[in-house]
Amino acid sequence: MSDPNRRRSEGRVPPLVALLIRNAALGFCVAIVFVAAMLLADVGGLGTLVVRSPDGVIAVFALTFATGLTFGSVQMGIAIMQLGEEEQEDGDGPHDAAARLIRAGRRFLDRHTHRRAAC
């Protein structure tokens, strides 16, 4: 006997893996645009060097792949780090905690400043 739930889950990518793949692809797309902009702007004479070199295509591929690997990894890391922020309730973020500390410090200073002025 086969389990109907198992058949539904076969062929589906787990959500976390889909998130990583999507963000890696986004990083590679950004890398392609970045390398194209570098070559078109001829940063450091790179565009000219690639055009004049007989192995320019290999150089562009290697540069794009390495940049895509870097940008994709960074994008995946950002996506993973943001997973915890989605689970936090409103008013519980790091900025809210800092704001609460600042307000508490001001209240403390106000209380102690008024006591000295009253004396």
Side-chain angles (χ1 to χ4, degrees), residues 104-119:
R106 286 182 181 158
R107 284 192 303 264
F108 177 78
L109 287 175
D110 287 342
R111 280 185 283 189
H112 289 288
T113 309
H114 291 321
R115 286 183 187 169
R116 288 183 185 168
C119 294

Side-chain angles (χ1 to χ4, degrees), residues 38-114:
M38 272 188 8
L39 293 174
L40 289 174
D42 200 21
V43 176
L46 186 64
T48 306
L49 183 65
V50 165
V51 169
R52 291 183 182 171
S53 173
D55 296 326
V57 175
I58 295 171
V60 170
F61 175 76
L63 179 63
T64 305
F65 182 76
T67 307
L69 199 61
T70 302
F71 285 12
S73 299
V74 169
Q75 187 64 35
M76 287 168 48
I78 290 170
I80 289 172
M81 286 185 252
Q82 287 179 342
L83 285 176
E85 290 181 8
E86 294 173 359
E87 295 173 1
Q88 290 180 350
E89 295 179 13
D90 291 337
D92 243 3
H95 299 292
D96 297 324
R100 282 195 305 269
L101 284 173
I102 291 170
R103 284 192 299 267
R106 286 182 181 158
R107 284 192 303 264
F108 177 78
L109 287 175
D110 287 342
R111 280 185 283 189
H112 289 288
T113 309
H114 291 321

